[in-house]
Amino acid sequence: MQQRDSDQAHLLDRVQHHVDLIYRTNPLSVNLDSLATSLLELMRLDPAAAPPPQYVNHWSQRDAIAITYGDSILREGEKPLVTLKRFFDQHSEGLLTGVHILPFCPWSSDDGFSVLDYSSVNEALGTWDDVEAIAGSYDLMADLVINHCSARSLWFQNFLKGETPGKGYFFTASPEDDLSQVVRPRTSELLREVETSEGTRYVWCTFSHDQVDLDFRNPEVLKQFVSIVRHYLDNGVRIFRLDAVAFLWKVAGTTSLNLEETHEVVRLLRTLVEHAVPGALLITETNIPNQQNLSYFGNSNEAHCIYNFSLPPLLVNTLVTGNCQHLKMWMMSMPPAQNGTAYFNFIASHDGIGLRPAEGLLSDAELTSLVETMGQFGGHVSYRALEDGQSKPYEINISLFDALQGTTSGPDEWGVERFVCAHAIMLGLEGIPGIYIHSLLGTRNDYDRVENAGHYRAINRHQWDDEALESVLSREDSSHAQVFARIKALLAIRREQAAFHPNATQFTLHLGDAVFGFWRQSMDRRQSVFCISNISNAAIPLALSDINLIGTDDWVDLISGTHYHGRDEVIDVHPYQTVWITNLEGHSGAL
């Protein structure tokens, strides 16, 4: 009841409520009244503003987001952000409504996620004008690297010297503290010893010693990030990816993961962002077990969207084993996203295929088999540290195209079909699709980049030469051209179907272990789409009576254009073929 009252209050009261919950047990002295006022001033918001409409879906089936680094495509003599925009303008044919540009600020390591200066654009990529140009044509998604920043940043150098801004900005602990329960995704030492103007300190480093965790117990850190959010909004950013946000708040003696203060910071940022720019969104990047990930929806008052992290490992496992049992069981357990929230679906990213989100869904033996299978196709494995000092596979580093070039039995001739099948499944699911640029292009493992970069994640961070890319896309016999054309064809179909709205009804079908199927129904109940994929390397007969088609309706496969006129028909679904069977009466687009 307290939260409901807060939701109806004027903005100042709501922000006051958030900061009270964040800092009520804070060991540092905080003037909560002045803090709430300062945050509103930084965001240039009216303290008396009424709350915006709740539970509004700011998306539709027409939305699809491309995920890319700013320099994924290079052209001599041209800034990469300019090259990137021209590529999407020329080739996306209006099918991509948004672009997620991975960190474009100056950085010192981790390909952008060790930020030196949040207020600037990396000169090697372009300028704020180039960023705004992309934002003028696409919904721009940007990373708010909120948990940590570079050890070479001005903030950290000032921390060492006891100067501002930076003094008190970084989280410190003692080697004597109980840190045994801390959960983190790396095997490096958690604490880094540094010499400061006040003596030896031990700074907390969740990810690497060049990425030092910020201390949000200090409200000056919160104010800095609210100021950054305002700056990004002013430059056209409309979707904020809260990077590694689950690790934000730390307390010795706990896991320091998903703490209540972290959730409240997300609620605060949502309140500020949705008042500043109606339709601006927060997406939480929390590569953690499934149930913990779901918690970032809150009561429809935290993230607008959450990354569907369990989808990539489960879908890859399904396609290399030819068995969809685990994928079905997981999907049946997923609650439908409430209005005002949505899943952000992806099956490949700049990182690897995360394994933590599959824990509890796949057995240790199945995870081991998946890791070994990916090794056959050139993949590597990154590890995380356990409480007992041991290490455990954290993610598989491989391009998705190579990951799907065979099965547990080894490579085969079905690689392209299997790869397209993976995307057809994702594009049919409840949620907003995000497609990594190297999946759009069918990019292969980049072993040279791994060697040059010195880390495994570089295997899926290839940089295309613009002329070479245009050349392969112009050749019909190129797997890159085939993949790009077929994914765009699926996007073109998807955007015309009301049943593919991110919040439309979804039910799992039970058609055996080798056929993965689900049913989508539009919110006005006029259109149904039966999404059925053969996830094996053998043709499978499918009786239309098995999916309960209404016999009086006419039905059509949106992908092939084949018409069906009765429940008694039996169709052969080819290896890795997907059919999207819809009722013609509810179908809203042209075939």
Side-chain angles (χ1 to χ4, degrees):
M1 189 67 181
Q2 182 181 24
Q3 185 63 52
R4 182 181 299 173
D5 291 343
S6 173
D7 288 344
Q8 299 304 315
H10 284 168
L11 181 55
L12 178 59
D13 296 327
R14 295 186 68 196
V15 173
Q16 187 70 61
H17 179 72
H18 292 309
V19 299
D20 286 347
L21 291 176
I22 295 168
Y23 291 106
R24 60 186 171 183
T25 60
N26 191 34
L28 305 179
S29 177
V30 179
N31 185 326
L32 298 180
D33 292 335
S34 65
L35 175 58
T37 300
S38 295
L39 296 178
L40 294 180
E41 290 174 350
L42 289 169
M43 288 290 285
R44 304 196 300 274
L45 297 176
D46 178 4
Q54 299 295 297
Y55 315 116
V56 175
N57 297 323
H58 299 288
W59 43 78
S60 75
Q61 66 272 16
R62 304 181 73 82
D63 287 306
I65 297 176
I67 305 167
T68 179
Y69 278 103
D71 57 0
S72 291
I73 306 173
L74 301 175
R75 182 172 184 169
E76 187 174 355
E78 186 172 70
K79 290 295 187 181
L81 289 176
V82 176
T83 305
L84 186 70
K85 182 177 186 300
R86 187 180 61 255
F87 176 81
F88 283 127
D89 288 349
Q90 293 177 350
H91 290 283
S92 71
E93 300 169 19
L95 301 173
L96 297 168
T97 58
V99 177
H100 172 200
I101 306 176
L102 290 152
F104 49 75
C105 297
W107 52 275
S108 59
S109 64
D110 198 18
D111 284 356
F113 287 92
S114 186
V115 177
L116 288 166
D117 175 12
Y118 291 88
S119 65
S120 303
V121 174
N122 184 349
E123 292 182 357
L125 297 177
T127 66
W128 278 116
D129 287 342
D130 300 322
V131 171
E132 288 189 70
I134 294 173
S137 300
Y138 304 90
D139 294 326
L140 178 60
M141 179 170 165
D143 291 273
L144 190 67
V145 185
I146 195 170
N147 178 71
H148 52 263
C149 73
S150 172
R152 288 182 253 175
S153 66
L154 175 64
W155 286 356
F156 190 68
Q157 295 307 307
N158 282 348
F159 167 82
L160 297 178
K161 294 184 286 186
E163 299 176 358
T164 58
K167 182 179 180 181
Y169 276 23
F170 295 90
F171 196 91
T172 61
S174 167
E176 305 304 317
D177 290 337
D178 177 11
L179 305 177
S180 60
Q181 298 182 56
V182 173
V183 174
R184 53 194 295 264
R186 298 291 186 271
T187 56
S188 57
E189 291 294 327
L190 173 63
L191 300 183
R192 173 189 170 188
E193 181 179 344
V194 295
E195 296 302 322
T196 75
S197 60
E198 298 177 352
T200 302
R201 293 290 183 271
Y202 296 87
V203 292
W204 189 292
C205 301
T206 297
F207 292 93
S208 79
H209 284 188
D210 186 49
Q211 294 165 292
V212 189
D213 285 37
L214 293 149
D215 189 354
F216 275 82
R217 295 176 305 174
N218 181 348
E220 292 302 315
V221 175
L222 176 62
K223 288 162 64 175
Q224 284 281 9
F225 274 89
V226 168
S227 179
I228 292 164
V229 166
R230 179 72 260 182
H231 181 56
Y232 285 10
L233 287 170
D234 291 342
N235 284 280
V237 173
R238 289 298 174 264
I239 308 172
F240 291 87
R241 176 185 182 270
L242 303 185
D243 177 64
V245 69
F247 302 94
L248 185 74
W249 202 274
K250 296 95 166 127
V251 176
T254 73
T255 62
S256 294
L257 183 71
N258 307 318
L259 299 187
E260 181 55 33
E261 291 88 348
T262 294
H263 284 281
E264 198 61 44
V265 169
V266 176
R267 294 177 197 125
L268 168 64
L269 292 176
R270 174 163 177 162
T271 295
L272 294 173
V273 164
E274 66 186 6
H275 278 81
V277 177
L281 307 178
L282 300 183
I283 297 184
T284 47
E285 188 268 336
T286 49
N287 192 357
I288 50 181
N290 191 51
Q291 290 304 313
Q292 296 177 34
N293 188 34
L294 288 169
S295 71
Y296 283 87
F297 276 143
N299 184 24
S300 297
N301 60 349
E302 292 188 37
H304 295 88
C305 305
I306 62 170
Y307 272 76
N308 219 343
F309 271 107
S310 295
L311 179 60
L314 290 178
L315 184 52
V316 171
N317 183 73
T318 293
L319 289 165
V320 300
T321 63
N323 188 314
C324 64
Q325 188 63 28
H326 292 304
L327 186 61
K328 284 194 300 187
M329 294 302 293
W330 165 75
M331 199 161 89
M332 290 169 60
S333 72
M334 294 291 282
Q338 298 181 47
N339 282 332
T341 66
Y343 292 107
F344 185 70
N345 294 328
F346 74 108
I347 52 177
S349 74
H350 62 290
D351 291 337
I353 300 170
L355 297 178
R356 286 213 74 206
E359 292 177 7
L361 303 172
L362 299 177
S363 69
D364 287 346
E366 288 166 330
L367 287 169
T368 298
S369 176
L370 180 59
V371 168
E372 291 174 349
T373 301
M374 295 299 98
Q376 293 183 62
F377 305 137
H380 299 291
V381 181
S382 296
Y383 292 84
R384 67 182 179 92
L386 301 178
E387 294 176 16
D388 60 4
Q390 301 297 309
S391 59
K392 185 174 184 178
Y394 172 71
E395 68 178 16
I396 301 167
N397 303 114
I398 191 170
S399 82
L400 185 64
F401 190 81
D402 277 298
L404 296 176
Q405 289 308 298
T407 67
T408 52
S409 299
D412 60 25
E413 73 273 24
W414 297 105
V416 170
E417 298 303 321
R418 192 179 290 110
F419 184 76
V420 173
C421 177
H423 286 86
I425 290 172
M426 179 189 73
L427 290 173
L429 289 172
E430 173 191 357
I432 301 168
I435 309 177
Y436 189 38
I437 191 169
H438 293 305
S439 292
L440 282 170
L441 302 174
T443 308
R444 308 298 299 263
N445 291 335
D446 190 332
Y447 301 111
D448 290 340
R449 194 163 173 83
V450 171
E451 185 175 350
N452 293 333
H455 59 84
Y456 289 150
R457 283 180 165 178
I459 199 170
N460 197 24
R461 299 178 180 179
H462 181 70
Q463 289 179 305
W464 279 97
D465 173 77
D466 183 54
E467 289 187 7
L469 178 57
E470 293 292 345
S471 176
V472 297
L473 291 180
S474 69
R475 290 171 23 216
E476 292 184 1
D477 63 341
S478 160
S479 62
H480 305 290
Q482 294 169 12
V483 162
F484 196 22
R486 292 180 65 179
I487 292 177
K488 286 197 294 183
L490 291 171
L491 285 169
I493 296 169
R494 180 186 189 276
R495 71 199 315 262
E496 300 299 332
Q497 316 310 317
F500 284 150
H501 187 285
N503 295 91
T505 299
Q506 175 174 287
F507 286 108
T508 308
L509 303 176
H510 297 277
L511 303 170
D513 290 342
V515 179
F516 179 64
F518 52 96
W519 172 63
R520 303 294 309 279
Q521 184 184 56
S522 60
M523 289 186 281
D524 64 7
R525 299 187 179 182
R526 291 186 59 232
Q527 185 186 25
S528 290
V529 179
F530 292 89
C531 305
I532 299 167
S533 298
N534 178 354
I535 49 86
S536 77
N537 55 13
I540 295 177
L542 175 71
L544 296 185
S545 59
D546 290 343
I547 57 175
N548 295 320
L549 296 186
I550 299 173
T552 57
D553 285 357
D554 288 322
W555 298 83
V556 63
D557 172 19
L558 293 166
I559 298 175
S560 68
T562 303
H563 287 249
Y564 307 106
H565 303 288
R567 298 177 73 252
D568 297 331
E569 288 191 56
V570 176
I571 61 175
D572 282 328
V573 186
H574 301 301
Y576 305 106
Q577 180 185 0
T578 294
V579 293
W580 286 344
I581 301 175
T582 191
N583 53 319
L584 281 176
E585 183 181 353
H587 171 57
S588 59
L591 291 175

